[in-house]
Amino acid sequence: MAFSATVAPGKRTIGSSRSSDIYISVAGISRHHAVIELGADGLFVEDQGSKNGTFVNGARLSRGAVRAGDWVQFGPAAFLVEALDPRDAQLAIEGRSTLPVCASLADQTETEGWSRRRFDESPRWMELVNRLLPSLIEDGTCRLPEFLAELAKGLGAAAAALVEIGTGTEPVVVAAWGEAIADAEIAQVARAIQGRKFGGISHATGAVTSDALPLVWATAALPGEKSFVLVVVGEFPHRSATGPLLEIVLRTILRVTGRVSVRVRQTVPPVQRSLVFPDAHVPGHSRAMLALYSQLRELVRGDIPVLITGETGVGKEHVARTLHASSHRAAGPFVAVNCTAIPSELLEAELFGIEAGVATGVREREGKFRLAAGGVLFLDEIGDMPSSLQGKLLRALEAMEVHPVGAKAPVRIDVRLLTATNSDLTRRLKDGSFRRDLYYRIAGCTVRVPPLRDRRDDVSALVEHFLEEFTAEVDKRITGVTVKALQALVAAPWPGNVRELAHEVRRLVTVCPAGSALDSSMLLPEILAPSPDEPSDDSLSADLNLERHAATLEKRLLRLALARSRGNRTKAARMLGLSRPGLLAKLRRHSLDE
């Protein structure tokens, strides 16, 4: 069983009583076991006459001071004392099953009725409403579009809309903001609630997942035949808990702006077509990603070939799958081929097919072009395609037919070609390693996927998504991500982009003790921002004194070892290749022994 608790300045009670500030649901803990106090003079613990005692580093005491690196034991529950940066004591992202006041992972039977309270139900919903209400009416003028924009942004959603429904009529968008809410999605929500009977002004909430995007909605019926639906679109944190919030928002809108809805409707621009994102995709809300989505919406119609560029790990295949799922070819297959993963001598047969009997033991294969009939063929790393095959690919695209290896006649194809590369094709065009005529054929339109460093606003949502995915994968409870850790993750350079971020969160989930939060001590050194005493290039050029710089580096390594060993000096010494007395001497020398 894992324990963790953060102590703020002041006194905190510890015990098995639910009224304790730090509640430990473990046999052997007295109801009022101890008091821990953090003040200007340091951290002190005082036993409250407990049956099983309070111990510091194995010695029983009634009252005493504790320092970073000490073990404090309350009966059978042991805690390692750590000196935290204030940003590592505050969660920026909370786990989906965070317990409200408990320091231990208590059994479900002992916590029935209160451990199910989730962060989703936090009072921050009311704070959001109170913050947004002033934007609803300004100088007596209805401000619904601006209000919906702030509502969606506050939730982290892609879009929001207010829809009017009349008996026997099609739904009408009163006001909308965001990525896109297609008529089909609005109609689906309308059909889901039509036929319900409401008395007076009443409300209901629900969630619908359309073929395009997940939707959360609240509906209200006014006296007469008119009803209104407030719809929020997209994947966003704590989506399943937003029903009550939307009910409050809709009730407020109807009371404040119900009489001027027609005037607002006339100012709303036409609703754009929605994009359909593949499974496990986390839609970005940064300016760079919104610009990318705007470009993609223009490319979902027709079959123009698209070249997707971007660094490794940015999600080029996700973009290709989004174009496929959002297009008229969505019902057809999506076939992906990595041009570097197949030996050049086999790539032709893999793409175009091969007839049986061409060589001993060869069986007939249709090839990826024919397997993708009616859908999309995605050629990844197209820049590395062998020169000998580029001409054959060009002929296939110009004639829309392939010639399988060993076949006597060509075969017609019906595919849309999407390609991707992380290499500089313009340089390859200049040095002749990539055919210019093929480039013009595949790059009917070029889409650049921004690197993660250009869309840092999306890192928090990605971290939260990966945290939920990987904790479920290993069935481990992680309470969240601390502010300092998230700040470091957002600021990191991420040369491997989203793929590298996903791998790092997976590693963090693996090394994080169950029941704890991901904090900065668990991050890799290259991810942590440089400390203030790290010399810059300018200072190095001005001061080349090796001894001073060696001392600075030694101090940083000492701090890092203590952080990664969570204050355990024996482990820190082992990491540094030192004896424990040697480590203690260096800590004293650098004034790090406090």
Side-chain angles (χ1 to χ4, degrees):
M1 184 174 294
F3 303 91
S4 66
T6 302
V7 179
K11 289 186 177 182
R12 297 291 184 272
T13 59
I14 299 175
S16 59
S17 169
R18 295 185 186 273
S19 62
S20 299
D21 296 319
I22 301 176
Y23 166 59
I24 307 178
S25 178
V26 173
I29 302 292
S30 300
R31 289 179 53 80
H32 305 288
H33 197 104
V35 171
I36 191 163
E37 180 179 4
L38 178 61
D41 297 331
L43 184 65
F44 293 84
V45 62
E46 182 176 350
D47 188 77
Q48 299 294 294
S50 64
K51 179 179 179 181
N52 293 312
T54 299
F55 302 81
V56 174
N57 297 327
R60 186 164 186 165
L61 51 72
S62 57
R63 176 178 171 82
V66 293
R67 303 167 63 181
D70 289 342
W71 281 96
V72 182
Q73 188 170 344
F74 307 102
F79 292 80
L80 175 64
V81 179
E82 299 178 270
L84 290 180
D85 184 305
R87 294 172 297 168
D88 265 337
Q90 179 182 2
L91 293 184
I93 295 176
E94 295 208 30
R96 290 299 183 91
S97 58
T98 300
L99 302 182
V101 205
C102 185
S104 69
L105 294 178
D107 294 336
Q108 180 67 28
T109 55
E110 299 181 39
T111 60
E112 189 70 31
W114 61 267
S115 67
R116 294 179 181 177
R117 175 184 164 193
R118 294 160 56 104
F119 174 73
D120 298 346
E121 302 168 354
S122 166
R124 76 185 185 97
W125 294 141
M126 293 306 300
E127 295 173 8
L128 177 62
V129 174
N130 292 333
R131 176 167 57 85
L132 295 181
L133 284 181
S135 66
L136 192 58
I137 288 190
E138 187 175 297
D139 299 327
T141 304
C142 182
R143 310 287 294 179
L144 264 180
E146 291 86 347
F147 179 85
L148 293 175
E150 292 303 316
L151 173 66
K153 292 175 182 177
L155 293 173
L162 180 66
V163 184
E164 179 183 322
I165 302 175
T167 303
T169 62
E170 287 297 316
V172 177
V173 178
V174 176
W177 175 89
E179 281 290 302
I181 305 177
D183 293 343
E185 281 124 17
I186 295 175
Q188 182 173 3
V189 175
R191 286 194 297 271
I193 66 169
Q194 276 177 339
R196 297 191 182 188
K197 302 298 183 181
F198 301 97
I201 300 179
S202 55
H203 298 69
T205 61
V208 174
T209 300
S210 72
D211 293 334
L213 287 175
L215 311 171
V216 181
W217 52 270
T219 180
L222 295 175
E225 298 181 347
K226 186 181 295 187
S227 300
F228 290 89
V229 182
L230 178 62
V231 185
V232 176
V233 180
E235 291 282 4
F236 54 90
H238 318 300
R239 180 171 61 89
S240 61
T242 54
L245 169 68
L246 297 186
E247 181 178 343
I248 295 171
V249 171
L250 181 58
R251 183 191 298 269
T252 305
I253 289 175
L254 294 181
R255 287 183 175 177
V256 176
T257 67
R259 297 181 179 180
V260 291
S261 61
V262 175
R263 181 152 52 92
V264 175
R265 184 188 309 122
Q266 295 171 346
T267 66
V268 176
V271 177
Q272 295 178 316
R273 181 183 178 89
S274 289
L275 293 176
V276 181
F277 296 108
D279 293 341
H281 178 75
V282 182
H285 299 287
S286 62
R287 181 175 300 179
M289 291 304 290
L290 293 179
L292 173 64
Y293 296 152
S294 178
Q295 184 180 11
L296 294 182
R297 279 194 292 270
E298 301 302 322
L299 298 175
V300 297
R301 299 174 179 86
D303 287 332
I304 185 171
V306 178
L307 173 63
I308 305 168
T309 66
E311 300 174 5
T312 181
V314 294
K316 296 185 288 294
E317 184 170 338
H318 273 286
V319 171
R321 289 184 180 275
T322 298
L323 284 173
H324 167 250
S326 306
S327 72
H328 67 284
R329 291 181 174 271
F334 179 91
V335 178
V337 180
N338 189 320
C339 297
T340 61
I342 302 173
S344 57
E345 61 272 14
L346 302 179
L347 187 56
E348 180 179 358
E350 189 71 19
L351 291 177
F352 305 139
I354 189 171
E355 293 294 300
V358 172
T360 304
V362 173
R363 298 181 180 180
E364 180 182 3
R365 294 204 306 273
E366 287 188 319
K368 301 300 186 183
F369 268 98
R370 284 192 282 175
L371 291 175
V376 166
L377 177 63
F378 174 61
L379 299 182
D380 198 7
E381 305 302 344
I382 185 69
D384 296 317
M385 175 172 282
S387 301
S388 59
L389 195 56
Q390 292 177 23
K392 296 179 181 180
L393 176 61
L394 176 62
R395 288 195 300 272
L397 297 177
E398 288 178 337
M400 290 307 292
E401 61 183 26
V402 296
H403 202 291
V405 177
K408 296 180 180 179
V411 178
R412 294 291 298 174
I413 55 174
D414 173 25
V415 300
R416 182 183 189 182
L417 184 70
L418 304 179
T419 56
T421 182
N422 61 10
S423 60
D424 185 359
L425 281 188
T426 57
R427 180 181 57 80
R428 291 177 179 265
L429 292 176
K430 291 178 181 179
D431 63 24
S433 61
F434 197 85
R435 294 181 59 130
R436 190 172 296 273
D437 46 3
L438 177 59
Y439 174 79
Y440 293 138
R441 173 62 65 177
I442 64 174
C445 187
T446 300
V447 171
R448 176 183 175 273
V449 185
L452 192 54
R453 62 181 175 274
D454 290 346
R455 45 177 296 214
R456 297 188 187 278
D457 291 347
D458 298 328
V459 173
S460 296
L462 289 166
V463 170
E464 184 169 11
H465 169 77
F466 293 139
L467 178 64
E468 182 178 355
E469 176 183 349
F470 298 140
T471 51
E473 179 181 278
V474 298
D475 193 23
K476 179 187 287 188
R477 176 182 174 274
I478 303 296
T479 59
V481 182
T482 68
V483 171
K484 185 176 182 181
L486 184 62
Q487 288 175 341
L489 291 172
V490 170
W494 298 121
N497 294 291
V498 179
R499 184 184 295 124
E500 182 186 5
L501 175 62
H503 288 326
E504 174 61 10
V505 176
R506 183 193 291 268
R507 186 192 67 81
L508 289 170
V509 169
T510 301
V511 302
C512 181
S516 300
L518 305 181
D519 62 42
S520 62
S521 68
M522 305 173 192
L523 299 177
L524 293 173
E526 56 267 30
I527 292 176
L528 287 172
S531 61
D533 57 359
E534 181 180 11
S536 64
D537 290 341
D538 292 338
S539 66
L540 284 174
S541 62
D543 178 13
L544 298 178
N545 186 288
L546 181 61
E547 184 177 354
R548 279 195 291 270
H549 291 310
T552 299
L553 177 60
E554 184 176 74
K555 187 174 182 179
R556 290 188 61 216
L557 290 174
L558 290 170
R559 285 175 171 169
L560 181 60
L562 288 173
R564 295 184 70 173
S565 67
R566 307 179 71 83
N568 187 312
R569 298 183 180 186
T570 300
K571 290 183 178 179
R574 191 179 304 121
M575 291 178 184
L576 294 167
L578 301 171
S579 65
R580 182 179 172 86
L583 172 65
L584 296 178
K586 290 182 180 294
L587 293 177
R588 286 193 295 271
R589 184 187 313 153
H590 292 289
S591 301
L592 297 176
D593 58 336
E594 295 182 357

